[in-house]
Structures are given as structure tokens and as C-alpha cells.
């Protein structure tokens, strides 16, 4: 074979190979796997555990006819760490045998709303593989210095009228007695308000002086692309628009609004039908994980100031909806526009509504204003009774918190009494007697 003929054959082969590879490139259609959008949403953050978010709101000690309360954040953290080390066993539902009011106990650990024990039990040392399904908003027991080997504690649901009895090692209760109950009279005193035959609450008799504070705000610098990938099934189809000071992202169905004035985020997905009431344990865990996945528990970057945090506040199993509330130095914060809340509503497969601030409290400004005394607990109860058309059956709670108001790049937190009425927290009026709620 001549050299020229060989060159022609090689050239022809190369031409065919080039044509074949070009055709492969043009016609190649890869098999695409749907990506979990939450992967795009996850960023490095200070993720929180159940114990970080689900915290007691106070501890009550009953000493004879007197009552004392702890809600100091540091002490509450120590108490939570103490009782979470207890070993529990032998659970028994005694609701049909005894009611909460019939139980004699001198110590109460109170929570903001119903806590699914299935979720919370991972924090205890539970000496049983199978535990009954129940929720609770109160743990009660008798602190004692006796030599009992075992002691009974009760998980109570005031809403469901259930009482779950369990057993704990007596040494745990004796230690609690020595550290806390024995010194109960060192804590702020409370008074009891009998709301109705079946309901009573305890409020601080003489609130400690509290200052009105002003805090700098910091933008959480959330990347809106992360939100797009997390909240929209097809992020490439999302359109971005500006309406006044509101930035909007939509795919024609879902809508993500970012309000630059209030520093609030609001997402709605009407296509997500409300699902059948879910298991409360799964609902709460899902909600905590969701915020963990997108750096939602942002703390101040300033060393030495970390006195604000979001805590579990409310759960509606039927909707299903979960709310986390901002707390500052152990007290809840309220704002009519929802700037102190992280609210989630869940649909069949994914989140249906999501509303939250995208700022966090950075550091407090120095203040020379003197601390002010709030009205006493007795005055607060009197003011409550003076509300026109007040219905005790709708009343739920009364406590001290902060009213949040926002300026340009800061917020003011003003101490105030709040009462929970028909599911809503309302600032308690003192001046206008007979005012409508």
C-alpha cells in the first residue's frame, strides 16, 4: 500500500470519528435526578438542639401559703440541665385516678405550650424502650430531703387534662431540694390568681426594676438565592420584582416577599394544601430542623453579648403551625407585626407559609435612663378584671415581657405586662378602665 493511500484512509477515519463525536455531543441527554432543594439552603450556622429551643418558662416553688418563682435565664438553664440528667422509668397514665388539682406537690416546672414527650424524652435518661404517647406543659413533684430511694414526678397536660406518673431516683430530688427548693424564699415572690374553678395562675407580686433598652440591629445577610432554591421547586423560573420597598420573588404560584422597611420575610405557597394534623413530635422536630438548615438562629457577633434567643412558644397540631418567640434576658418579646416571631405553617409535602424577621439584636446601646418599676401583680390582676367584657374562660395567661418597636436600624424594648386571651398576646392596659380588649 502506498504512503499516499494510507494517509487517505487515516484521514477518512478521523473525519468519521469527528462526525460521530459531534453527533454524540449534540444529541446527548443526561438523566437528571431531582435535587433536594434543601441542600442549597443549608449554610454554616449555629444549629440548635431540642434543649436549646424547647425550654421551661419558669419554675414555681410552693412553701406553705407562699409562692416563689424563678425565671432568671442563667438559673433556668442550670435547672434544665439538672432535671434532664434524671433517669425516668415506670410510666403510668393516672388521669382517671387523680386530677392535677388533687395532686400535692411543691415544685412546678412550667412550659409555654404542649411539649410532645416523644421528642423531649431524648433529653432524659429513659429506662424503657417503649413509652406512651403524651404531651405535657408542666412537670410537678415534691422536693424533699428524705431518704426515699424513689420519688414520683408527674407530667401534666393542662389542656388535655392528663396526668402521667413516672419514677425517678430519690437522690435526684434530694439534690434539687438542697440547691433550689431549700432556698426558695431567696427568689421573687408570686401571688395566686384564681381565674376560674379549674384554672389558676401565679404572677410576680413585686416585679424587679426593668430598664427600657435600645438595641442595634444587624442584617442576617441571608442570600436570597438560597431562599429561592429552598422554597421554589424550579428556581430558574423565579422572577424578581420590586414593589415600593418590597422585593418579591415568584414563580407564578409561590411568593417570597422581602420587606426592606420592616426587615421581614414572608413566604406563601397556596398550592400546598394543609395536611391532616401531623404527629406533634414530628411537627416540632421538622420545624426546628428547618430553621437550623438556613442559619435561622443567628446570634450577635459581639463577644460578651448573647442574651437573646428564639424559643419554642406555640404549636397548633390541627393547622399545623409552629411559632418560636424571641426572648431577651429570660423575658418574652412581643410585636404586633410579628417581628419577634418565627412562624411556620406546613403543607402536605413542604412548608406552606413562612414568616420571620431577617434581622437579629446585635448589641445594646448604653442607656442612662433609670430602671422603672412595673405595676405589681395585684395591680395587673385588677387591670385585667377591669377589661370590659372580659371572659375568664378565654383567658389563658398573664406575664411580663417586652414590647418591641422598631426605628431605622434599631429596636426599643419596653417592659410591659401582657395577657394571653383567645390565643393572642395583648398588652395590658392600666390607665383606661373599662376599655374594650
Amino acid at each position: 500500500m502506498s504512503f499516499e493511500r494510507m494517509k487517505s484512509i487515516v484521514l477518512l477515519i478521523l473525519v468519521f470519528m469527528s462526525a460521530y463525536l459531534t453527533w454524540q455531543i449534540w444529541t446527548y441527554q443526561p438523566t437528571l435526578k431531582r435535587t433536594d432543594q434543601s441542600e442549597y439552603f443549608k449554610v454554616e450556622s449555629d444549629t440548635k438542639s431540642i434543649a436549646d429551643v424547647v425550654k421551661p418558662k419558669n419554675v414555681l416553688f410552693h412553701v406553705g401559703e407562699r409562692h416563689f418563682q424563678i425565671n432568671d435565664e442563667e438559673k433556668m438553664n442550670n435547672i434544665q440541665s439538672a432535671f434532664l440528667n434524671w433517669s425516668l422509668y415506670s410510666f403510668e397514665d393516672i388521669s382517671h385516678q387523680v386530677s392535677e388539682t388533687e395532686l400535692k406537690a411543691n415544685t412546678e416546672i412550667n412550659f409555654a405550650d404542649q411539649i410532645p414527650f416523644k421528642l423531649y424524652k431524648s433529653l432524659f435518661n429513659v429506662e424503657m424502650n417503649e413509652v406512651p404517647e403524651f404531651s405535657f406543659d408542666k412537670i410537678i413533684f415534691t422536693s424533699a430531703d428524705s431518704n426515699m430511694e424513689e420519688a414520683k414526678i408527674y407530667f401534666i397536660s393542662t389542656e388535655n387534662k392528663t396526668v402521667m406518673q413516672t419514677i425517678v431516683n430519690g437522690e435526684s430530688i434530694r439534690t434539687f431540694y438542697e440547691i433550689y427548693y431549700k432556698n426558695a424564699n431567696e427568689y421573687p415572690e408570686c401571688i395566686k390568681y384564681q381565674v376560674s374553678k379549674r384554672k389558676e395562675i401565679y404572677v410576680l407580686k413585686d416585679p424587679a426594676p426593668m430598664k427600657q433598652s435600645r438595641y442595634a440591629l444587624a442584617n442576617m445577610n441571608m442570600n436570597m438565592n438560597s431562599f429561592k432554591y429552598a422554597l421554589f421547586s424550579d428556581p430558574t423560573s423565579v422572577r424578581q420584582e420590586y414593589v415600593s420597598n418590597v422585593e418579591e420573588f415568584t414563580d407564578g404560584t409561590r411568593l417570597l416577599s422581602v420587606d426592606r422597611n420592616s426587615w421581614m420575610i414572608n413566604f406563601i405557597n397556596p398550592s400546598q394544601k394543609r395536611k391532616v394534623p401531623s404527629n406533634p413530635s414530628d411537627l416540632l422536630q421538622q420545624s426546628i430542623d428547618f430553621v437550623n438548615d438556613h442559619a435561622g438562629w443567628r446570634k450577635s457577633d459581639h463577644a460578651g453579648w448573647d442574651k437573646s434567643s428564639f424559643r419554642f412558644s406555640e404549636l397548633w397540631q390541627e393547622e399545623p403551625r409552629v411559632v418560636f418567640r424571641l426572648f431577651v434576658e429570660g423575658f418574652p418579646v412581643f410585636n404586633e407585626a410579628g417581628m419577634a416571631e418565627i412562624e411556620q405553617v406546613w403543607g402536605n409535602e413542604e412548608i406552606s407559609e413562612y414568616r420571620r424577621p431577617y434581622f437579629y439584636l446585635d448589641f445594646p446601646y448604653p442607656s442612662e435612663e433609670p430602671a422603672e418599676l412595673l405595676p405589681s401583680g395585684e395591680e395587673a390582676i385588677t387591670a385585667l378584671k377591669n377589661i370590659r367584657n372580659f371572659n375568664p374562660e378565654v383567658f389563658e395567661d398573664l406575664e411580663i415581657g417586652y414590647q418591641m418597636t422598631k426605628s431605622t436600624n434599631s429596636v426599643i424594648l419596653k417592659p410591659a405586662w401582657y395577657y394571653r386571651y383567645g390565643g393572642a398576646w395583648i398588652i395590658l392596659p392600666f390607665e383606661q378602665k373599662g376599655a374594650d380588649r
Side-chain angles (χ1 to χ4, degrees), residues 108-128:
E108 299 181 19
I109 301 174
N110 296 299
F111 294 79
D113 202 355
Q114 303 292 310
I115 310 297
F117 187 76
K118 182 180 178 181
L119 179 74
Y120 208 65
K121 76 171 186 177
S122 62
L123 307 180
F124 286 103
N125 299 315
V126 179
E127 303 293 334
M128 297 174 63

Side-chain angles (χ1 to χ4, degrees), residues 311-316 321-325 341-344:
R311 299 184 192 173
F312 167 69
S313 177
E314 301 163 24
L315 183 151
W316 287 265
R321 179 160 66 107
V322 174
V323 173
F324 301 97
R325 181 170 300 283
E341 299 174 0
I342 296 175
E343 181 180 5
Q344 304 172 22

Side-chain angles (χ1 to χ4, degrees), residues 123-368:
L123 307 180
F124 286 103
N125 299 315
V126 179
E127 303 293 334
M128 297 174 63
N129 292 327
E130 296 294 328
V131 175
E133 289 270 357
F134 66 94
S135 293
F136 66 95
D137 59 346
K138 181 182 295 189
I139 302 172
I140 71 172
F141 54 92
T142 296
S143 295
D145 60 350
S146 68
N147 293 319
M148 297 183 300
E149 291 186 6
E150 296 179 343
K152 295 177 181 179
I153 67 173
Y154 305 91
F155 290 86
I156 293 173
S157 169
T158 54
E159 179 180 318
N160 301 323
K161 305 293 188 293
T162 58
V163 180
M164 187 67 66
Q165 175 185 282
T166 186
I167 306 298
V168 67
N169 186 284
E171 182 62 31
S172 300
I173 301 299
R174 286 192 292 277
T175 301
F176 192 94
Y177 169 86
E178 289 295 330
I179 297 175
Y180 299 107
Y181 186 84
K182 192 175 181 180
N183 304 305
N185 59 3
E186 297 178 3
Y187 309 125
E189 188 168 0
C190 292
I191 57 173
K192 181 170 74 171
Y193 170 39
Q194 195 72 40
V195 183
S196 63
K197 289 183 178 179
R198 295 185 177 182
K199 183 175 180 60
E200 60 188 29
I201 64 167
Y202 295 85
V203 295
L204 289 176
K205 181 179 179 181
D206 299 305
M210 297 174 67
K211 277 191 174 184
Q212 175 175 297
S213 305
R214 182 165 162 253
Y215 293 85
L217 298 184
N219 190 323
M220 294 182 72
N221 293 320
M222 290 182 172
N223 187 337
M224 288 304 141
N225 284 328
S226 296
F227 275 94
K228 282 166 53 180
Y229 280 106
L231 300 173
F232 295 91
S233 58
D234 182 10
T236 60
S237 68
V238 175
R239 302 187 306 275
Q240 182 179 357
E241 300 175 353
Y242 284 91
V243 180
S244 185
N245 286 309
V246 177
E247 185 179 9
E248 294 185 344
F249 300 85
T250 182
D251 61 359
T253 302
R254 300 168 175 84
L255 177 65
L256 172 63
S257 302
V258 183
D259 191 325
R260 302 298 181 183
N261 282 335
S262 64
W263 290 21
M264 291 285 292
I265 288 175
N266 189 29
F267 172 78
I268 185 168
N269 180 8
S271 66
Q272 275 293 304
K273 295 181 180 179
R274 302 286 175 84
K275 64 179 176 182
V276 175
S278 62
N279 181 294
S281 178
D282 295 339
L283 175 61
L284 184 50
Q285 182 67 71
Q286 176 179 249
S287 300
I288 294 172
D289 291 342
F290 182 78
V291 182
N292 275 339
D293 286 346
H294 62 271
W297 315 113
R298 184 63 186 267
K299 296 181 179 180
S300 173
D301 294 326
H302 286 80
W305 198 86
D306 185 19
K307 298 183 179 180
S308 68
S309 62
F310 280 97
R311 299 184 192 173
F312 167 69
S313 177
E314 301 163 24
L315 183 151
W316 287 265
Q317 185 179 355
E318 294 75 16
E319 295 195 33
R321 179 160 66 107
V322 174
V323 173
F324 301 97
R325 181 170 300 283
L326 180 65
F327 276 70
V328 172
E329 298 184 337
F331 291 96
V333 180
F334 302 95
N335 175 266
E336 292 181 358
M339 294 168 60
E341 299 174 0
I342 296 175
E343 181 180 5
Q344 304 172 22
V345 179
W346 288 88
N348 278 325
E349 300 173 345
E350 56 192 54
I351 196 157
S352 172
E353 298 176 30
Y354 184 45
R355 179 177 173 84
R356 62 158 300 141
Y358 68 91
F359 64 82
Y360 63 96
L361 304 189
D362 198 11
F363 60 88
Y365 287 107
S367 174
E368 296 181 357

Side-chain angles (χ1 to χ4, degrees), residues 35-70:
T35 304
D36 181 2
Q37 301 296 339
S38 64
E39 293 179 6
Y40 290 93
F41 206 21
K42 293 184 179 181
V43 296
E44 186 177 353
S45 66
D46 57 323
T47 58
K48 289 191 178 293
S49 66
I50 297 166
D52 294 327
V53 180
V54 184
K55 289 178 172 288
K57 68 174 185 177
N58 61 47
V59 175
L60 274 170
F61 298 116
H62 307 289
V63 184
E65 297 299 317
R66 301 179 71 188
H67 317 282
F68 303 90
Q69 177 179 297
I70 298 178

Side-chain angles (χ1 to χ4, degrees), residues 51-52 55-56 70-84 180 311:
D52 294 327
K55 289 178 172 288
I70 298 178
N71 62 359
D72 175 82
E73 187 158 25
E74 184 176 351
K75 287 187 175 66
M76 288 299 300
N77 287 338
N78 292 337
I79 286 176
Q80 176 169 290
S81 297
F83 74 73
L84 289 181
Y180 299 107
R311 299 184 192 173

